[in-house]
Amino acid sequence: MIEDKCLTQDLKKELKEKVESRNYKEALKYSKKMLEYIEKDDLTHEEAEWLGRDTVSNFRDYVNPGFVEYRKCVTEGGQFAAVEWKDSGLNTFKDASGKEYIDCLGGFGIFNVGHSNPKVKKAVKDQLKRQALHTQDLLDPLRGVLAKLLSDITPGKLQYSFIGNSGTEAVEAGLKLAKIYGQEKGKFTIIAAVGGFHGKSMGSLSATAKDIFRKPFMPLVSGYRHVPYGDADCLYKTVKSCEMVGEGVAAVILEPIQGEGGIIMPPAGYFKRVREICDEFGALLIADEVQTGMGRTGKMFCMEHYGVEPDIMCLAKALGGGIMPIGAVIAKKEIFSKFFPNPFIHTTTFGGNPLSCAAAIATINVLLEEKLPERAAEIGDYFLKNLKKVCYKYDNLVEEVRGIGLMLGIEFYSNEIGYEVSKELFAGGILVAGTLINAKTIRIEPPLTIEKGQCDTVVEVLDKALAEVSSKFK
Ligand SMILES: *Cc1c(COP(=O)(O)O)cnc(C)c1O
């Protein structure tokens, strides 16, 4: 018995060493090969095939096989998975086989200044040449500059910024700010909206409002309530009820337009009422502009359309110029000052790093210099008008086309129709996507740099796609 056990352990040890040494060797070889690929601009047919095969098997075996299934919608004839490789111009990219696509998805709203915007890329490269990451101890100048710029371009009295690496982190920090601010007054309840999306970390997920993302992780953070989006009367009653039962409301967190919810626009006057309700009960208004911000809707921030100033605003996605990941929360001084006594009360190692800040500084510069928010308004009007013209020919398929600026959505009568249409569009060289919360809607969120001619191409291909799908769904 004892001998057996020893043997097993020896064997186990040997096996472990063998596995480890074999994997080191393999990892060395494999990483070297990939570094050589990274250097390449274009791939030969053989190289593209190898990359396609390995990408699929790597996703299947090491990332998550669910993605391979899901990405089927973007494979032609189900044979080759589409594997992306390079940007080609501001508004288009190429897959590994060299096929070009017009990007109407815009990375869910990250490519506002286009793909590989030269000014943003240069800023990051220049920063990289000099210093990649900050020491963490001295004061890093770019973070300060970015925080000032954010204060300059955001509406109202928003002044102090905490910089993180994603939208989720921006929301998380916003919620924590609201809680620390409300704490003394016994206000801790957070009210969010049904159909809202704010991220998937435990705190932000508690605000996110989609059953499939939340149910497996119950119980979430306590003290959250959800109300229907766009219903100010219901919000009023909910805030009032919370106050009456001693569960004071620290903040109401809302998207100015629900992005993942399926490009849902609030009714006119909604945010004005929300502001009044917040003021009446001393609750903070958090505007989650992670997707709507940085010019997407035709103004720098969507809240400007409503003439309403939030107390806290969350930014990310396009803030990094489609080059670097970055997120930021900006708040009024009175609120943010709760973080002053101990600046380490909320931190993250990589947040505000100089590479990301360089990208964000360049992004703000490009947005302002090239007047991209105005451009989004103008070209968005043109695009929406033409999308409507084509879509409403197929009223058996399309329920509604809506949006503002370049945050547009086409809602179909069913998920299946939306899926089929995106597949046809993809085959025609146009990337669109569904939304996380409402699969019936496909969104059109191209770079704000998209050309009129490219919009025309999209409309033409869409016309053909709808005709094709219409014949299937008679
Ligand atoms: C995408 C998104 C987030 C989450 O941002 P990540 O960068 O994915 O963490 C939060 N809020 C809104 C409104 C978003 O669209």
Side-chain angles (χ1 to χ4, degrees):
M1 234 359 236
I2 290 169
E3 231 184 298
D4 239 350
K5 211 175 162 190
C6 286
L7 206 86
T8 317
Q9 272 183 353
D10 272 351
L11 247 169
K12 259 193 199 158
K13 200 173 155 225
E14 200 181 307
L15 214 76
K16 193 165 169 259
E17 274 170 7
K18 216 171 145 191
V19 165
E20 270 175 7
S21 67
R22 191 189 64 207
N23 282 350
Y24 279 153
K25 234 194 223 159
E26 169 62 21
L28 196 61
K29 210 172 95 198
Y30 200 50
S31 55
K32 181 164 177 276
K33 179 164 184 179
M34 201 55 218
L35 286 174
E36 284 162 12
Y37 266 65
I38 291 171
E39 271 190 329
K40 293 179 206 275
D41 213 24
D42 293 299
L43 303 177
T44 64
H45 184 69
E46 289 72 36
E47 288 168 341
E49 261 187 273
W50 174 82
L51 189 75
R53 268 198 316 274
D54 259 47
T55 304
V56 170
S57 63
N58 284 339
F59 267 72
R60 192 188 55 219
D61 298 339
Y62 304 108
V63 181
N64 186 334
F67 281 122
V68 183
E69 279 301 305
Y70 165 73
R71 300 278 185 218
K72 261 193 192 143
C73 67
V74 296
T75 63
E76 258 176 279
Q79 284 167 329
F80 294 104
V83 174
E84 55 188 285
W85 190 245
K86 63 186 274 189
D87 293 332
S88 74
L90 287 173
N91 311 314
T92 46
F93 68 94
K94 283 184 176 168
D95 69 16
S97 72
K99 181 177 171 184
E100 193 176 81
Y101 300 82
I102 298 178
D103 184 6
C104 269
L105 165 60
F108 303 132
I110 59 181
F111 293 118
N112 289 17
V113 298
H115 285 255
S116 292
N117 182 288
K119 200 182 251 180
V120 180
K121 208 165 168 176
K122 181 174 185 307
V124 174
K125 268 186 168 170
D126 289 343
Q127 178 61 40
L128 184 61
K129 258 191 280 175
R130 210 179 53 259
Q131 184 191 34
L133 292 176
H134 50 316
T135 64
Q136 310 281 337
D137 195 43
L138 280 68
L139 295 177
D140 36 327
L142 274 66
R143 185 191 324 214
V145 169
L146 176 59
K148 176 182 177 338
L149 288 171
L150 289 176
S151 170
D152 283 341
I153 64 170
T154 49
K157 293 204 200 73
L158 298 174
Q159 183 179 347
Y160 282 89
S161 287
F162 170 78
I163 300 170
N165 307 287
S166 66
T168 300
E169 284 175 64
V171 167
E172 202 73 40
L175 294 168
K176 284 181 77 178
L177 270 171
K179 277 194 146 176
I180 198 172
Y181 181 75
Q183 198 205 33
E184 286 160 21
K185 296 168 218 144
K187 291 179 177 292
F188 53 84
T189 299
I190 306 284
I191 298 184
V194 175
F197 185 84
H198 303 287
K200 291 173 188 159
S201 64
M202 293 303 258
S204 63
L205 182 62
S206 305
T208 289
K210 176 71 178 173
D211 52 357
I212 56 163
F213 296 134
R214 305 175 92 239
K215 265 183 157 168
F217 307 105
M218 292 292 173
L220 292 169
V221 179
S222 62
Y224 284 68
R225 301 270 186 290
H226 291 85
V227 295
Y229 187 71
D231 184 343
D233 292 335
C234 181
L235 177 68
Y236 179 85
K237 283 180 194 152
T238 307
V239 178
K240 195 168 178 186
S241 304
C242 285
E243 295 290 337
M244 284 171 78
V245 298
E247 297 185 5
V249 177
V252 176
I253 180 167
L254 294 168
E255 292 160 271
I257 292 174
Q258 289 189 328
E260 301 306 319
I263 317 291
I264 307 293
M265 324 244 303
Y270 176 62
F271 272 93
K272 278 240 154 70
R273 287 273 329 268
V274 172
R275 179 74 270 182
E276 283 164 15
I277 295 164
C278 286
D279 290 344
E280 183 177 338
F281 292 98
L284 301 178
L285 174 57
I286 305 179
D288 182 350
E289 292 245 18
V290 167
Q291 194 162 151
T292 50
M294 314 317 291
R296 172 59 51 194
T297 66
K299 292 201 184 285
M300 189 61 91
F301 301 102
C302 189
M303 291 301 278
E304 295 170 50
H305 287 291
Y306 313 138
V308 170
E309 289 172 11
D311 302 298
I312 296 175
M313 188 187 268
C314 306
L315 300 172
K317 292 208 167 102
L319 181 60
I323 304 268
M324 292 298 294
I326 184 168
V329 66
I330 182 163
K332 291 177 177 167
K333 183 176 179 183
E334 188 195 345
I335 299 158
F336 201 97
S337 62
K338 300 290 174 194
F339 279 5
F340 289 174
N342 179 2
F344 297 101
I345 194 150
H346 185 75
T347 61
T348 164
T349 303
F350 290 126
N353 71 73
L355 290 175
S356 297
C357 286
I361 291 166
T363 302
I364 291 169
N365 178 275
V366 171
L367 285 168
L368 292 173
E369 192 166 83
E370 297 177 19
K371 297 191 167 45
L372 289 182
E374 289 91 328
R375 188 191 158 89
E378 201 187 299
I379 215 153
D381 277 351
Y382 172 81
F383 204 4
L384 181 64
K385 196 180 73 200
N386 289 319
L387 286 171
K388 278 185 174 166
K389 236 188 251 166
V390 161
C391 285
Y392 291 149
K393 285 202 293 185
Y394 302 92
D395 56 4
N396 55 326
L397 303 177
V398 179
E399 192 171 342
E400 195 186 19
V401 185
R402 58 176 175 262
I404 182 167
L406 282 167
M407 187 159 184
L408 307 173
I410 304 175
E411 182 155 354
F412 297 96
Y413 283 107
S414 71
N415 301 351
E416 293 71 37
I417 299 172
Y419 181 81
E420 288 300 319
V421 173
S422 4
K423 226 162 73 175
E424 290 293 330
L425 286 174
F426 193 78
I430 286 154
L431 182 69
V432 296
T435 57
L436 278 174
I437 289 183
N438 177 353
K440 275 167 65 193
T441 302
I442 62 172
R443 66 177 120 187
I444 312 232
E445 290 188 36
L448 311 186
T449 49
I450 193 165
E451 305 286 342
K452 268 199 172 138
Q454 288 169 322
C455 296
D456 296 340
T457 307
V458 174
V459 171
E460 265 167 49
V461 179
L462 179 65
D463 198 358
K464 284 194 205 120
L466 289 170
E468 180 68 29
V469 176
S470 186
S471 64
K472 283 190 212 159
F473 280 83
K474 263 201 205 115

